[in-house]
Amino acid sequence: MNQTVENILQKKFITRDEIQFLLSLDKKGSETLFRLAHEVKTARVGRKVYFRGLIEYSNICAKNCLYCGIRMDNSRYQRYTLSDEEVLEAARYACDNNFASIVIQSGEQNSKAFTDTIENLLRKIHLETKGELHVTLSLGEQTEETYKRWHDAGAHRYLLRIEVSNPELYARLHPNDRRHTHKARLEALSLLRKTAYQVGTGVMIGLPFQTISDLAGDLCFFRDFDIDMVGMGPYIEHEDTPLYEFRNLIPSVAERVDLSIKMVAILRIIMPDINIAATTAMQTLDSRGREKAIYAGANVIMPNLTPVKYRDNYLLYENKPNVKDQPDETRKSLEKHIRAAGDEVGYGEWGDSRHFGKRISNNEY
Ligand code: SAM
Ligand code: SF4
């Protein structure tokens, strides 16, 4: 391609081929990319990073994604579910420390008992925190009715990663059965959009069999779907999963970090007003990973508020950091990372996706 990074970055619409070119930039080209992404972030969403207190509600999962440490068939972990009181305690901590938002994440469960419990919990959180806390759910694929009930009970945002936007690649990374289809994942995202959530999705970066063209396709997918928020980060191998067998096919740690930061930077440029997370997986592979992501465009971070005694049983991948840190330590350390990137924490602010705000003001619902 007879292009330079500067003239691609000036274009109003960056094509998939051009995105692929940007993902392949060398160190010097990447610096230009990161600098522009940083300017776009500053101009369009400002220099605040919003906390979303992460509550890993349960590691019980009915699915068997080939990459995930808490997949149903992994017998290494003790399965747990937090009590309502444990969730409320974490929610109170978030409120008392001005986080303004929490994320409730879990393995996928679809029983009536589970969906009812979440609905009740949402109402309790709303009462307990006088509606001050915004709640994001990340509880996998559910029916339209369930999504609606949870929304009515007070959930505002929903995160459901597409994982990879290429359907053939998706099929290689999941069991070949009706519980794991790319089509169902896409339909679930459409239902969430229809139910008026702020909709977040994301992908893993550096998976076996994944190409740079696939990653360029992922960024185009976010843009075509007109998504409000994105959480993406490097794939990290876990020895108790079937995908571990292909670990020799994945890019090096440094390459996965580099690709992840480039993905954040390009996304900030092509979707300037969405929320983008600096994910834990980035920090797992590089102690400055989240700082780099914040500089290159990320504006959301998820401090872990799961009671420490459960964390060893929610290991999606190896070497997950800070599993023993109490919430106060995590908060202080993240604050330090955010300041090191020259930003400040948006304490007491919901930090809703501006992109979503625009959709609302255009009377989409
Ligand atoms: N069960 C829900 C779901 O799958 O949407 C939410 C929880 S799931 C643990 C959250 C995310 O963890 C997944 O969307 C996936 O992208 C990520 N994840 C799982 N295994 C991973 C791995 N080995 N490396 C990096 N991310 C991983
Ligand atoms: Fe379950 Fe989510 Fe892990 Fe898949 S990624 S096995 S759905 S927890």
Side-chain angles (χ1 to χ4, degrees):
M1 197 188 302
N2 191 16
Q3 297 264 41
T4 65
V5 53
E6 285 83 1
N7 66 35
I8 292 178
L9 293 176
Q10 275 164 17
K11 292 188 172 178
K12 262 209 151 64
F13 186 87
I14 302 179
T15 65
R16 178 171 174 159
D17 282 349
E18 288 163 344
I19 290 176
Q20 194 170 326
F21 172 84
L22 295 175
L23 285 170
S24 314
L25 286 174
D26 62 11
K27 194 163 185 297
K28 189 159 171 281
S30 301
E31 277 164 16
T32 310
L33 169 68
F34 297 158
R35 199 173 51 248
L36 186 89
H38 181 74
E39 284 168 19
V40 171
K41 171 181 160 174
T42 306
R44 298 296 296 273
V45 291
R47 297 291 296 281
K48 281 189 183 161
V49 177
Y50 302 99
F51 276 170
R52 314 280 187 238
L54 175 65
I55 303 172
E56 292 158 337
Y57 176 66
S58 173
N59 66 354
I60 299 174
C61 188
K63 288 173 95 169
N64 258 319
C65 306
L66 302 185
Y67 41 81
C68 178
I70 62 169
R71 62 199 300 276
M72 182 172 69
D73 286 354
N74 185 7
S75 54
R76 180 165 125 191
Y77 297 127
Q78 249 185 306
R79 300 289 163 170
Y80 73 84
T81 299
L82 300 191
S83 67
D84 284 10
E85 188 41 40
E86 285 168 325
V87 175
L88 289 172
E89 199 177 315
R92 276 192 294 268
Y93 177 90
C95 226
D96 292 348
N97 286 279
N98 281 321
F99 282 18
S101 293
I102 53 170
V103 179
I104 302 178
Q105 192 188 72
S106 170
E108 191 171 305
Q109 300 174 50
N110 313 96
S111 67
K112 184 168 177 331
F114 179 80
T115 54
D116 287 353
T117 304
I118 296 292
E119 184 178 2
N120 289 333
L121 251 177
L122 287 165
R123 295 196 194 282
K124 285 185 190 169
I125 292 169
H126 190 77
L127 263 180
E128 181 95 15
T129 64
K130 302 184 186 66
E132 279 174 21
L133 210 55
H134 264 194
V135 182
T136 306
L137 297 178
S138 178
L139 305 173
E141 293 163 41
Q142 304 288 342
T143 62
E144 181 172 3
E145 192 216 331
T146 299
Y147 285 147
K148 193 166 175 325
R149 275 171 47 209
W150 290 346
H151 190 266
D152 291 347
H156 305 87
R157 316 178 180 119
Y158 206 104
L159 282 177
L160 184 81
R161 287 185 174 183
I162 189 69
E163 312 296 2
V164 290
S165 63
N166 173 347
E168 285 89 45
L169 179 57
Y170 190 94
R172 293 184 87 166
L173 302 170
H174 295 88
N176 179 17
D177 61 28
R178 282 172 44 203
R179 256 201 174 273
H180 300 82
T181 71
H182 191 256
K183 188 165 168 273
R185 204 86 184 153
L186 276 177
E187 279 167 7
L189 279 172
S190 299
L191 289 177
L192 288 165
R193 170 103 179 193
K194 191 173 148 199
T195 320
Y197 283 94
Q198 290 180 48
V199 185
T201 191
V203 291
M204 281 171 289
I205 299 161
L207 288 152
F209 321 117
Q210 189 181 46
T211 63
I212 297 288
S213 166
D214 289 326
L215 291 172
D218 291 341
L219 290 172
C220 294
F221 171 79
F222 301 149
R223 179 168 61 189
D224 294 345
F225 200 90
D226 196 29
I227 208 77
D228 302 308
M229 333 180 272
V230 170
M232 58 186 169
Y235 160 69
I236 303 172
E237 58 276 35
H238 188 305
E239 67 172 334
D240 297 328
T241 62
L243 211 60
Y244 193 68
E245 183 190 337
F246 301 101
R247 63 193 176 284
N248 57 334
L249 298 182
I250 61 180
S252 71
V253 165
E255 284 166 330
R256 273 178 282 162
V257 173
D258 178 60
L259 272 175
S260 300
I261 310 296
K262 280 178 177 154
M263 290 283 283
V264 166
I266 299 168
L267 184 59
R268 176 55 71 205
I269 292 167
I270 64 172
M271 300 193 77
D273 57 1
I274 65 169
N275 278 350
I276 305 177
T279 55
T280 313
M282 290 184 187
Q283 195 197 338
T284 307
L285 294 191
D286 178 340
S287 58
R288 292 194 51 240
R290 291 211 264 210
E291 245 163 86
K292 291 178 186 171
I294 289 169
Y295 177 80
N299 66 334
V300 164
I301 218 160
M302 298 197 253
N304 197 342
L305 299 185
T306 310
V308 171
K309 67 176 179 187
Y310 296 108
R311 294 199 197 159
D312 277 342
N313 288 310
Y314 201 90
L315 299 182
L316 311 176
Y317 44 75
E318 290 170 1
N319 304 320
K320 200 171 159 199
N322 311 116
V323 281
K324 300 277 176 242
D325 287 3
Q326 293 294 341
D328 276 343
E329 288 170 74
T330 310
R331 180 171 54 78
K332 283 182 194 144
S333 134
L334 289 177
E335 232 179 55
K336 209 172 85 195
H337 283 286
I338 290 165
R339 293 223 177 94
D343 284 15
E344 58 174 306
V345 183
Y347 279 121
E349 296 177 51
W350 284 326
D352 282 328
S353 160
R354 293 192 185 189
H355 190 76
F356 178 74
K358 270 197 203 142
R359 292 209 283 119
I360 292 290
S361 58
N362 288 341
N363 290 325
E364 192 171 310
Y365 295 105

